[in-house]
Amino acid sequence: MSETQNYIQEHKQRFLDELCDLLKIASISADPAYSKEVLSCAEMVAKHLTEAGAEQVEICNTKGYPIVYGEKIIDPKLPTVLIYGHYDVQPPDPLELWESGPFEPVVKTTPLHPEGAVFARGSADDKGQFFMHVKAFEAMIKSHTLPCNVKFIIEGEEEVGSVSLGDWITANKEKLKNDVILISDTHIYSKEQPTVTTGLRGLSYVEVEVEGPNRDLHSGLYGGAVPNPLHVLSRMISQLIDEEGKITIDGFYDNVEEVSPEERVEMNKLKDDPEGFKQSIGLKDTEGERGYTTLERTSIRPTLDANGIWGGYIGEGAKTVIPSKAFAKISMRLVPYQTPEEITEKFSRYFHKIAPKNVTIKVTPHHGGMPYVLPIDTDEYKAAKMAMEKAFGTEVLPYRSGGSIPITSLFEQVLGSKSVLMGFGLDSDAIHSPNEHYGLFNFYKGIESIPYFFQYYAELKK
Ligand code: BES
Ligand code: MN
Ligand code: MN
């Protein structure tokens, strides 16, 4: 075994203990009540980078939460790998569904993780994953095998739309110059079938409001003669998808990339396991756009989902009322070459169009993001594939993911480099959900794969 891999094996337990300390900090970016925790998490990340051997480590202030930067430049003539990750996490609620505290990490075994998995908010998304890079970097430094320059940016606002990062990278273009961006914030298809993520969907997110009468009404005195905003809204939402599973918004599919039959055959080589899929989420049957497999529906096709609907009385007991207003949050996942601006605009126009004339509609856009694709005929993809094949000892396939990391497309626009999404989670990790966990197998395979990526990438770029 190489020096680097030896170092990793010898320090395994400490790596895990350090990760657990990081997971104890409730760095919830969405909730201002946790701002102290988010800031102290940034400090802990900076401390880890310094201890691992990074230089120029800085906690860079922004209008929002800080970005932690660090670098190790060994030779300006060598390629530079920029590592991106995020130290902020999603809110942990609903708390009552956690089997142990979201910020009290514990290692437990599960049928899928006989080697154990660490349970805590952020374990897979993304603390456990960016921390693999810090530890792989430490291993390369301590064993004197680092073959490339390295830069780190670990941000604290990913879960709220990376609001400050865009401006910050634009203002720091020179400092961030790199050849490739390496990100572990996605998942592999399965432990037996490792994959490199070659695509991410974009996102368009809107909040809608339907206003009927100018005040809440007694449902006995007024019921039967006025539009009920809750009914109107639910009817409108159900109209957004037709019997075939197609989204009905005018022009919604205009710019959708039609993936070639060849590529569809290739991507469906990943064993779609419909029974396991249904079982894992307790469903009798799946549904979706006609003519596409589950794998395709969740990767190369755009989708629309209501994320929350509310209005009226939802407290204890009964209250006979027709609410004045009804609300919903609706997200759309986008594929190349849709853009969030285009889709938000088309949504808004259509939503107004299908509304009955006796209600008032408001559509408020939230942050969105562009889709992203990494072609498989690039050195970036090849280095990742080879690295994971070496660590897992089996063939690695490309895999387009349904999730979104909007900053990847901005990186390409501003910094001109491709992102490689070498994530090691599993879709069963319950990210954004109670009992989030990250397998120790996945954590250690990640740490082992990263130095191989550096090595192969440096060789391919010679
Ligand atoms: N790491 C996830 C995205 C992800 C997870 C992509 C698994 C692929 C596989 C990221 O932290 C995230 O949650 N992104 C958000 C978008 C963001 C704008 C809030 C998402 O996908 O909902
Ligand atoms: Mn993430
Ligand atoms: Mn996330």
Side-chain angles (χ1 to χ4, degrees), residues 80-391:
T80 300
V81 180
L82 176 71
I83 309 288
Y84 163 82
H86 63 96
Y87 65 82
D88 66 321
V89 301
Q90 285 274 333
D93 55 88
L95 277 177
E96 64 282 8
L97 295 184
W98 284 80
E99 278 165 29
S100 52
F103 300 104
E104 292 155 25
V106 283
V107 173
K108 284 189 286 191
T109 59
T110 73
L112 205 66
H113 296 289
E115 315 81 2
V118 51
F119 282 73
R121 169 58 85 233
S123 53
D125 185 14
D126 177 44
K127 287 174 176 173
Q129 296 220 55
F130 85 71
F131 199 62
M132 300 181 310
H133 288 275
V134 182
K135 295 297 106 178
F137 171 69
E138 174 190 319
M140 290 186 279
I141 292 280
K142 297 289 151 73
S143 59
H144 309 284
T145 54
L146 185 67
C148 301
N149 303 310
V150 192
K151 294 176 180 174
F152 285 92
I153 48 179
I154 314 294
E155 71 150 319
E157 296 184 319
E158 197 275 342
E159 299 292 10
V160 289
S162 299
V163 256
S164 306
L165 188 61
D167 287 344
W168 189 80
I169 59 172
T170 310
N172 291 280
K173 255 162 101 165
E174 253 331 283
K175 173 192 179 114
L176 300 175
K177 250 182 114 144
N178 67 78
D179 297 277
V180 59
I181 299 168
L182 184 59
I183 304 175
S184 296
D185 193 22
T186 55
H187 51 69
I188 50 175
Y189 191 67
S190 70
K191 287 189 196 178
E192 297 72 35
Q193 179 52 77
T195 45
V196 175
T197 304
T198 51
L200 291 163
R201 288 194 285 195
L203 183 67
S204 161
Y205 202 113
V206 295
E207 201 163 316
V208 298
E209 183 189 302
V210 174
E211 185 176 6
N214 62 3
R215 63 178 170 87
D216 287 6
L217 301 175
H218 188 290
S219 69
L221 302 184
Y222 292 89
V226 298
N228 182 325
L230 284 169
H231 300 195
V232 174
L233 177 60
S234 31
R235 238 171 12 232
M236 288 173 69
I237 291 176
S238 62
Q239 252 173 279
L240 295 173
I241 299 180
D242 71 12
E243 240 86 274
E244 306 261 289
K246 283 257 186 289
I247 294 156
T248 53
I249 297 171
D250 295 321
F252 187 83
Y253 293 93
D254 282 359
N255 300 319
V256 166
E257 171 195 35
E258 281 306 326
V259 176
S260 70
E262 294 76 32
E263 192 172 343
R264 284 180 68 187
V265 169
E266 193 62 28
M267 68 180 291
N268 282 297
K269 278 188 185 156
L270 285 172
K271 275 200 276 30
D272 215 351
D273 169 18
E275 286 316 309
F277 180 77
K278 283 187 259 184
Q279 211 186 21
S280 71
I281 48 176
L283 266 189
K284 289 202 192 71
D285 209 354
T286 55
E287 63 169 60
E289 190 179 356
R290 191 170 297 170
Y292 295 93
T293 62
T294 292
L295 204 64
E296 292 172 332
R297 288 169 176 172
T298 56
S299 62
I300 57 166
R301 300 301 294 168
T303 55
L304 180 147
D305 279 286
N307 296 265
I309 308 182
W310 70 101
Y313 183 69
I314 52 166
E316 285 290 319
K319 180 185 180 192
T320 48
V321 65
I322 297 170
S324 163
K325 289 181 179 179
F327 307 85
K329 290 181 195 274
I330 296 173
S331 66
M332 289 157 279
R333 296 283 169 170
L334 316 181
V335 298
Y337 302 94
Q338 295 177 300
T339 73
E341 294 75 23
E342 171 219 349
I343 292 303
T344 300
E345 166 65 31
K346 285 179 172 165
F347 175 91
S348 179
R349 211 176 308 142
Y350 187 69
F351 212 64
H352 281 95
K353 182 176 127 182
I354 63 173
K357 294 291 164 279
N358 54 2
V359 299
T360 311
I361 302 292
K362 232 190 253 166
V363 175
T364 313
H366 281 265
H367 60 76
M370 290 282 286
Y372 177 76
V373 174
L374 174 70
I376 60 175
D377 58 355
T378 53
D379 288 342
E380 287 86 345
Y381 174 76
K382 284 178 201 152
K385 174 180 161 78
M386 285 158 67
M388 288 179 74
E389 284 180 345
K390 177 87 177 166

Side-chain angles (χ1 to χ4, degrees), residues 1-12:
M1 212 189 312
S2 77
E3 291 275 317
T4 321
Q5 297 296 336
N6 264 332
Y7 183 93
I8 294 169
Q9 296 312 318
E10 278 164 22
H11 294 85
K12 267 182 136 163

